[in-house]
Every structure is written in C-alpha cells, then in structure tokens.
Amino acid sequence: MFFKKEEPEISEVLDQRRPSNVEAINKQHRMSVSNKGLTGASALTVRQSIIPITLVTILFFLWGFAYGLLDVLNAKFQNSLNITAAKAGGLQGAYFGAYLIGPPTYSGWLVRKFGYRWTFITGLCIYGVGALMFWPSAVKRSFGGFCGSLFIVGSGLSTLETSANPFIATCGPPRLSEFRLELSQSFQAIGSVMAPLLASRVFFNNTDPKDLSKVQWTYLGIAVFVFLLAIVFFFAPIPEVTDADMALQAEQSAGLTGYIDKPMRKQYKLFFGVAAQFCYVGAQVGVAAQFIKYSVESAHISDSAGSDRYAIAQGLFAIGRFVAAGGMMVVKPRWILMVFMSGVMIFIAASMGAEGEAGVATLTLVLFFESCVFPTIFTLAIRGLGRHTKRGSSWIVASVSGGALFPSLTGLVADHKGYHIAMCVPLIGFFVAFAFPIYLNTVCAKELDGFRETKIGYHDEELDGTIGDVVYEERRASIVHEEKGIHASEYEIKS
C-alpha cells in the first residue's frame, strides 16, 4: 500500500482537461483528491497563495517550539533523572527516529493519496496524542515514557513536515519557491527562540531540580492547542497541488530549465540532497543538543544561564533565516547556500579550540549560519522533480532522521573527552553536507537558474492573465492564431 505507484505519467497529465487557477482556489477539496489529476494549482499567483501559506506557517511555528523545548528538556532530564549526555541523546533518537519511519511509509502515502489538508489534520492529531502522553511519563518519572512520548510527537511533526514543506515550496509562483519556504521557516525559528526562553523561566528557574510537573502542564497546553488547530485546518481554504500539477509546471518551464521527465531512479540531485540533509540535520541537532552543556563547560555558568545563551543563539538563527529570505529576492539561492555552509564550517571548527565566552560566541555563530541550510537544501533538491515531487519531498523529510544518530554520538564523545572535542562529530556531518552546494553550483546551475527565471504565476499586463494558467494560454494561442491568419491573408493579397 505505502509503496504503490501513485505518480501520473506525463501522457496522462497532458491528455487531461486543464482547470484554471481560479478553479483551484474555488474548489477547496474537503475530501481526498487524486494525485494524478490536475487542479489548476500549477499557476497560483502570490495573492492566491497568501492565505493558505499563512495558515501552514503556523505549523512551522509549532514545529520550532517543539524542537526548541526538546533541546532544553535534554539538559533538564540530565539533571532531574541523573542520566549521562549519551543517554539523554536518546530523546533526540526517539524524536528524530520517527522521521525515518513516517515519511517513507504512512506520511508519504497520506499526502499522495488524500492530499495536503488531511495530512495536516492527521499530523496535528498524532502530535496532540504525543503531547498528552507527557503527563503520565512525568508522573512516573519514566525516561522510557518520555522517549515514547517524543516518538509520537516526532511522528506527528514528521507527518506535518511531509506535507508542509512541499506545500509551501509549490503553492505559488515557482521562481519564489526558496523564498517562501525560507520565510515560513523563519517563523519556525521564532518558535525555537521562544521555547528556550520559556524553559529558562519555567523549567530551570526557582524549581526543584527533580520537579517535572511544569513539563506536564506545558505539554498539556500544547495538546489542547494543536487539537483546536486541526479543526481550523478542516475548514481552512487549502488548495491542493498534485504531482500532476507539478509535472505540468515542469513541462511549461522546460525551455528555460532543460527539464526532461526521468524515472525516480535517475533523480541524482534528489539522492544527493537526501544524503546532505541527513548529515546536516544530524550535525545541527548534535550542536543544539549539547549547546547548553557546552556553554556550562566553556564559560563556567549555570544551566539557566546556558539556556539564556541558547536563546540568544536561536535568536540569531531566526535572524539568519530572515536575512537569507531577503537575500533570495536578489541573490541566487544556490549562492546563499554556499556562503552560509562555508560560515558553518569555519565556526564549528573554531568552537573546538575556543574557550570561555569566546567558545560560546563561536558556537552561537554556527547557529546563525545554519539558519538557511535546511529549507534551501529542501527546495533546491526537489527542483525539477515534476511528477515525483511528493515522493521526493517525503524522502528529504525522512532524512531528518539524521537527528537520531548524531546527538548520541556527540554525547558519547562529550562524556569521555568533553564538549569541545565532541564538536568534531557535527563537523564531520557538516563536511558531508558542504559537498551539496558545491555540486549545485557546478553541475546543476543552469537548471536551477532556469526555474528562477520562469514567470509562471505572474500577471501579464499585455494579455491581462496569469502566465501558465490555462485561460492565459488559450488567450495567447488565440492571438497567435489570429496573427497567423492575418499574415496569411496579406500574403494571398500580395500574390
């Protein structure tokens, strides 16, 4: 069931009736939608995509809040349950391990079979159940219970990401794909900033180190919120962008990009992107998981002060995303990815040798340069997938499971060699990820630049229509036909 082929053939796409983008907005599918059918969403304008993108951006904030809490809980559980850094890495293992299972199986199947709306709702419900499970886990002070709860939370969030990332990337003009996802994920970063600030005031400040009751109430509040949000998404105006729509869009852009439809096994850029994302996310989570303890070791400060330093770092992370998003309006995204990954490499290496507040500062700058990497790898890796967009997107989301491996390895080295030397583990992951922007800027430059130049989804003042939309195409074809008829008549008169 999960691996059944649901992508359309190009011949199926081109033989269908083409709906307009107005139909895509007006016909909001409450039930499932065929992934092989055209909906008209391949040529949505910026105005048409603003409301659905705003709603989905709320999901990114939720994801960031959960991720920010995870890193602070790691340090909290080390103190409350007297566990080692390596064992605390099991929290990341549970959370990110869910990404290895969900997207390639049930999450990816849901988004292809039922569309984005029902995948959003399902993900929110799973997330809510996981949040509720924190209550009995805290009562029993069970580390295994917390790991199980985080696995369910991770299952819900991986389901949300399987739909949210490709939805943002494809809902609107294709030339703005990187900008949209970068901007939406900037609000994910804001959630990551707010979580450590809340944690430093609630989990660490003026509490018994053994007390986990406030963890219970925090996740109970999250559960109530996400269940209410699932109801909102049932009634929300969410247009469905199918693989058939993406195949049509890729065909329309072929003159600029050199696009040729290929089977999944020959999507080499996607495979490289999956490997790069796996290593990058693993390294990023490895740094974040040990940031507070690294700060304590380097600057000799308390856990609460270390949490505040982490909030500052996450603040720079959020700023970096807004900076990158703005830069993408004038600079090619592949160049921005190259610059930011270079900054990551420089400062992660420096953090291994720097001591005191200088060490904390170098690790903080690592988070700033990490900011744009995940969403930019995602959008550039799915460029040109056409009818394979949803399946390819689910594979890239599955690569987030790298976060299950690196934190435990980093914690294991930290237990034996200290947190400074432990940064060599993320350094290795970043090095592998660094090869991807090099590949993009040398091998895939023409294709990526072609998508940036396409005007699909933009308004043509001369013909008064949206470029790429069926109404516009029919109007343009009619004008061309009339002009040919006029030229033919003039030729006959002269003859």
Side-chain angles (χ1 to χ4, degrees), residues 222-242:
I222 291 173
V224 172
F225 180 76
V226 297
F227 284 132
L228 291 174
L229 195 59
I231 297 173
V232 171
F233 266 83
F234 178 79
F235 295 101
I238 304 293
E240 289 295 345
V241 187
T242 64

Side-chain angles (χ1 to χ4, degrees), residues 423-478:
M423 290 301 111
C424 69
V425 177
L427 176 62
I428 294 170
F430 288 137
F431 180 78
V432 176
F434 185 54
F436 188 59
I438 296 174
Y439 171 77
L440 295 178
N441 281 279
T442 53
V443 178
C444 306
K446 180 182 182 298
E447 175 193 4
L448 297 177
D449 293 348
F451 279 109
R452 186 170 173 81
E453 293 168 10
T454 181
K455 297 292 185 179
I456 293 174
Y458 279 77
H459 188 74
D460 185 336
E461 297 290 345
E462 185 178 345
L463 296 182
D464 190 27
T466 303
I467 299 172
D469 184 50
V470 63
V471 176
Y472 172 85
E473 297 293 341
E474 290 174 351
R475 186 176 301 162
R476 189 177 68 169
S478 176

Side-chain angles (χ1 to χ4, degrees), residues 255-320:
L256 293 170
T257 63
Y259 168 80
I260 299 175
D261 179 61
K262 293 180 289 187
M264 193 63 165
R265 66 179 181 276
K266 293 186 177 180
Q267 301 292 346
Y268 305 120
K269 176 162 62 68
L270 170 68
F271 303 146
F272 198 170
V274 169
Q277 198 77 290
F278 180 89
C279 293
Y280 164 73
V281 173
Q284 178 193 351
V285 176
V287 170
Q290 308 304 335
F291 189 99
I292 295 174
K293 289 298 183 180
Y294 175 97
S295 300
V296 172
E297 177 185 272
S298 183
H300 307 292
I301 55 179
S302 66
D303 283 342
S304 181
S307 184
D308 287 338
R309 301 290 197 285
Y310 182 57
I312 293 171
Q314 289 286 44
L316 283 177
F317 184 90
I319 291 170

